[in-house]
Amino acid sequence: LSILLLSLGLGTTLTFASSHWLLAWMGLEISTLAIIPLMSQHHHPRAVEATTKYFITQAAAAALILFASTTNAWITGQWDINFDLHFFPASMLTMALALKMGLAPVHFWLPEVLQGLDLTTGLILSTWQKLAPFILMCQIMPVNSSLITFLGVTSTLVGGWGGLNQTQLRKILAYSSIAHLGWMILVMQFNQQLALLALIIYIPMTFSTFMIFKTNSSTTVNTLAASWAKTPALTAITPMILLSLGGLPPLSGFMPKWMILQELTKQDIPLTASIAALSALLSLYFYLRVSYAMTLTISPNNLHATTPWRLQTTASTLPLAISATISAMLLPLAPATL
């Protein structure tokens, strides 16, 4: 386990630190290969199926990255990431990185894969595994502007619509991840720091949500109804974290959305900004649905046995407490980030 986790860290760090396309590709490959055993460690057909799907999509994306960077080296004569890319390989790289991260319209693998994994691996997949392609995407900006805007708008809309009639929490989180990445991509062509800020705030919010579901050991919306009996305090805090993911003030999740809309308006693309803002309402609906199921409904079973609800948990709750605080209370720091 420690070897795999170290390789996971090494792959992403290698991609961060590289200024050569081949090294960046190697970093992506290492982190993909390191997470595959973690994904299939529960020998369950679902997990194995999810791992296979993940491996195939990531291998295709990595091959496309290698092909695009080779084509770029062939046309321009150099491998340096910081150097301007040729238009054609740049578009291909953008699509390959979008496939790596699961941006719409190449997002179809993400909900399926996340649904087959346990919550901890799912958390690694939807936070840590997004970092390396995200940073590469930042480094090749600004490229084909219409392609990037198309990816961003499609992702925010798909991330909103896809999650609407889901009952599985992991699929809801996958769609939420697609929508958030869409926001980051939209603003990335104008302001990479802002996109990075959105990612930095998205990670603790997703971490908190996954950890809450893990603490309640629930994977569907229906099983959340019993959480008031297990963890009453956590149940009371959860709607705040979910609404922060939805981007409501005065919670932290409002800050990146607000700044991104401001930036898009500054760049004189009000239509894109309006579509993004309206798609946030779609996401908000399913976060509200999860909050409602968790805090305002009582599960329809007769709670005769009181013992399981009184057992003390052995899991450490400090990481969850820290990330929940970050998810709910970071908005006053907005002027400092500006």
Side-chain angles (χ1 to χ4, degrees):
L1 186 66
S2 53
I3 288 178
L4 291 174
L5 288 173
L6 282 169
S7 307
L8 204 60
L10 170 79
T12 309
T13 319
L14 192 60
T15 309
F16 282 0
S18 63
S19 59
H20 190 288
W21 275 114
L22 206 57
L23 266 176
W25 169 79
M26 272 167 58
L28 290 169
E29 272 306 78
I30 290 171
S31 61
T32 303
L33 290 175
I35 201 175
I36 279 173
L38 292 175
M39 290 165 81
S40 58
Q41 61 184 340
H42 305 283
H43 294 291
H44 188 279
R46 284 265 166 93
V48 176
E49 182 193 347
T51 312
T52 314
K53 285 177 178 169
Y54 181 75
F55 175 71
I56 291 169
T57 49
Q58 297 296 310
L64 202 53
I65 289 172
L66 197 56
F67 177 55
S69 48
T70 316
T71 312
N72 184 60
W74 179 52
I75 296 171
T76 61
Q78 45 74 41
W79 283 91
D80 202 323
I81 290 181
N82 306 316
F83 201 78
D84 280 349
L85 290 163
H86 186 265
F87 180 79
F88 171 63
S91 305
M92 212 160 29
L93 266 168
T94 311
M95 285 313 290
L97 291 169
L99 178 59
K100 274 251 180 235
M101 286 192 283
L103 282 165
V106 282
H107 66 284
F108 293 99
W109 60 273
L110 184 60
E112 301 293 326
V113 167
L114 213 54
Q115 183 52 35
L117 306 178
D118 66 319
L119 290 164
T120 323
T121 325
L123 171 65
I124 296 176
L125 186 70
S126 46
T127 53
W128 184 255
Q129 289 297 88
K130 300 265 189 276
L131 290 174
F134 187 87
I135 297 290
L136 279 179
M137 197 79 124
C138 276
Q139 282 175 313
I140 63 172
M141 285 293 158
V143 290
N144 188 344
S145 155
S146 47
L147 175 66
I148 293 291
T149 311
F150 168 71
L151 283 173
V153 172
T154 323
S155 298
T156 54
L157 287 172
V158 165
W161 260 310
L164 284 184
N165 84 12
Q166 296 296 339
T167 53
Q168 299 286 343
L169 293 175
R170 286 166 294 190
K171 278 195 176 174
I172 288 181
L173 283 167
Y175 282 110
S176 128
S177 162
I178 294 167
H180 276 270
L181 278 166
W183 279 85
M184 294 169 210
I185 288 297
L186 269 180
V187 78
M188 197 188 273
Q189 46 185 330
F190 307 118
N191 189 337
Q192 285 93 31
Q193 286 81 13
L194 195 47
L196 203 55
L197 171 78
L199 182 71
I200 288 167
I201 290 182
Y202 160 76
I203 286 176
M205 294 193 295
T206 308
F207 179 80
S208 317
T209 320
F210 268 102
M211 292 312 276
I212 287 162
F213 296 157
K214 192 169 154 41
T215 311
N216 290 320
S217 61
S218 50
T219 53
T220 60
V221 173
N222 297 341
T223 48
L224 278 177
S227 63
W228 60 273
K230 297 182 195 170
T231 50
L234 194 56
T235 309
I237 296 169
T238 307
M240 284 172 60
I241 293 166
L242 286 166
L243 293 179
S244 181
L245 266 170
L248 282 192
L251 304 160
S252 314
F254 176 59
M255 173 164 55
K257 281 196 165 52
W258 169 36
M259 290 182 182
I260 286 171
L261 286 175
Q262 186 186 359
E263 183 67 35
L264 292 178
T265 323
K266 249 191 249 174
Q267 300 292 341
D268 203 28
I269 37 173
L271 182 65
T272 311
S274 311
I275 296 173
L278 288 172
S279 70
L281 285 173
L282 294 167
S283 307
L284 187 61
Y285 173 77
F286 61 80
Y287 295 129
L288 273 171
R289 217 182 74 210
V290 174
S291 319
Y292 174 78
M294 193 162 179
T295 53
L296 298 174
T297 55
I298 291 179
S299 68
N301 48 10
N302 305 325
L303 302 176
H304 289 313
T306 50
T307 6
W309 271 262
R310 298 288 173 266
L311 288 175
Q312 283 299 316
T313 172
T314 51
S316 160
T317 47
L318 185 65
L320 177 54
I322 294 169
S323 68
T325 312
I326 291 174
S327 315
M329 299 183 179
L330 223 57
L331 190 65
L333 291 179
T337 57
L338 279 172

